[in-house]
Amino acid sequence: MSEDTQPTGASGRPEGAGAVVVGGGLAGITAALALADAGVRVTLLEGRPRLGGLAFSFQRGELTVDNGQHVYLRCCTAYRWFLDRIEGASLAPLQDRLDVPVLDAEAKPGRRLGRIGRSALPVPLHLARSLATYQHLSLAERAKVGRAALALKALDLDDPALDDQNFGQWLAEHGQSERAVEALWDLVGVATLNAVAGDSSLGLAAMVFKTGLLSDPGAADIGWARVPLGELHDTLARKALDSAGVRTEVRTRVTSISLNENGRWSVQVPGETLDADTVVLAVPQREAHDLLPAGALDAPERLLEIGTAPILNVHVVYDRKVLARPFFAALGSPVQWVFDRTDASGLREGQYLALSQSAAQDEIDEPVAVLRERYLPELERLLPTARGAEVKDFFVTRERTATFAPTPGVGRLRPGARTRAPGLYLAGAWTATGWPATMESAVRSGAGAARAALGALGRPRDHLLAFEEAA
Ligand SMILES: Cc1cc2nc3c(=O)[nH]c(=O)nc-3n(C[C@H](O)[C@H](O)[C@H](O)COP(=O)(O)OP(=O)(O)OC[C@H]3O[C@@H](n4cnc5c(N)ncnc54)[C@H](O)[C@@H]3O)c2cc1C
């Protein structure tokens, strides 16, 4: 890098040292766009050779593979704003109406397929018909689920005591059987929280279920990328950053951040020091801990107490089509969610399925051969057409620190965007957004950090209104 980060105003004169955003995941990209849109001169520094952080793609022969299947919901208004901002919304559309096929591998033939869906009726009636006909639960269990959902809806998300409580325990106290937890609460909760109910904070779980299922009839309609994630979070994001005037440097790892004698921030990268008035640190919590200057947080060691949770993806390429639907969720099997990635991956013959296995603590380090022996027969149990099909490729992707662990009490450990150090802000899905570690949380955190920074700089924040109205 040769240029400095001096911004120039309408007069063409330098206007201070501008902003440096550290970390090119969704949080950092959002912060960089939001700052640049307000006229701040921004440099975005990313250690890896690409943008997108934890949501990225790579090449395996002719296949373009996502490191992990990502979905979002209609209620993820910040991520939807992000998709619009990078002109990628049409590439990651939402279902018209929530419809999740749920296959129970252990049910009798003819009773294996259940569905979670919604009608256009107002909340909570929008789910009533689907619940009443959900054949993976008994009549009594369905009635109890309905009562627990109403109790959940009545919880006050602003009550900090909720965060210390255990969601699994709360479900048990509200009459939920083990089967109801497996076939309904965990089916949704494990995929969104990356933890089973017994390992989850009631506050975060209530937030997810209230916002997704009990706020607006369409809130839980599911969206996912029909193109590789890299096309959105790297290619299109890069294009948006370029046209906003952000200078983006990949393969550029920040090694330290310190205040210099001019009262500005010195951001150190190999071979160079960048000057900045504003720094947004949009890196994972452990890296943030290591880079934060002394005194920036009251109790920086708390960042290290935020646990992490793994996600495993199992990728299988068959020589023929074995699944007719775009995706399904499974019960009675170690398989959790299965997506058809054929078109998105560029595969020309056969079918490519990606199995998304959340809260994968028990199998994240299993050898590929063990996982192959476990999952191929399971897919044959769930999908009869897979029995005669040839497996052309089988591989796995492992993200050991995919999300922060949403354990009870984690809320106290998550800092907000502002630090004690003037001009230094935090962003990342793990910061205090109120959301679990999702793309939504990442985008919200990036916008929050930009809002705080622009306020301190006395810069306009009106352009963030559109975002906040959407959010
Ligand atoms: C397998 C998997 C499946 C998931 N599924 C979903 C899903 O279905 N729906 C959903 O909403 N979310 C999902 N998530 C979570 C979602 O991907 C993350 O919450 C989100 O992408 C986090 O974004 P971020 O910007 O906060 O952090 P990150 O993506 O971690 O970005 C931080 C960036 O900082 C960079 N960095 C670190 N240190 C430095 C340094 N010193 N200098 C420069 N750069 C540095 C890193 O390289 C990285 O690019 C999933 C995650 C995984 C891994």
Side-chain angles (χ1 to χ4, degrees), residues 299-364:
E301 66 283 357
R302 282 201 192 155
L303 302 191
L304 302 180
E305 290 172 35
I306 302 175
T308 56
I311 299 179
L312 173 78
N313 271 240
V314 174
H315 309 260
V316 189
V317 179
Y318 289 101
D319 66 342
R320 68 196 71 172
K321 194 167 175 114
V322 299
L323 172 66
R325 319 164 199 283
F327 72 91
F328 70 94
L331 293 177
S333 163
V335 174
Q336 293 178 9
W337 288 71
V338 179
F339 280 78
D340 178 4
R341 296 301 301 169
T342 310
D343 291 344
S345 69
L347 182 73
R348 280 192 288 273
E349 253 178 63
Q351 192 173 32
Y352 163 25
L353 302 184
L355 282 59
S356 177
Q357 303 290 120
S358 298
Q361 284 84 351
D362 291 343
E363 37 184 31
I364 195 71

Side-chain angles (χ1 to χ4, degrees), residues 22-29 45-48 50-55 67-72 76 191 252-255 282-284 287 291 311-313 356 399 401-403 427-430 436-442 445:
V22 186
L26 297 181
I29 297 167
L45 304 174
E46 166 54 50
R48 295 188 189 150
R50 45 149 188 85
L51 300 178
L54 285 165
N67 68 316
Q69 176 65 43
H70 277 64
V71 306
Y72 69 99
C76 293
T252 306
R253 180 156 289 273
V254 171
T255 52
V283 299
E287 284 83 342
L291 286 173
I311 299 179
L312 173 78
N313 271 240
S356 177
E399 292 288 354
T401 54
T403 67
W430 56 276
T438 50
M439 300 188 286
E440 177 71 8
S441 183
S445 75

Side-chain angles (χ1 to χ4, degrees), residues 6-40:
Q6 293 276 335
T8 46
S11 63
R13 285 192 306 273
E15 275 184 1
V20 168
V21 177
V22 186
L26 297 181
I29 297 167
T30 302
L33 285 172
L35 289 167
D37 288 348
V40 177

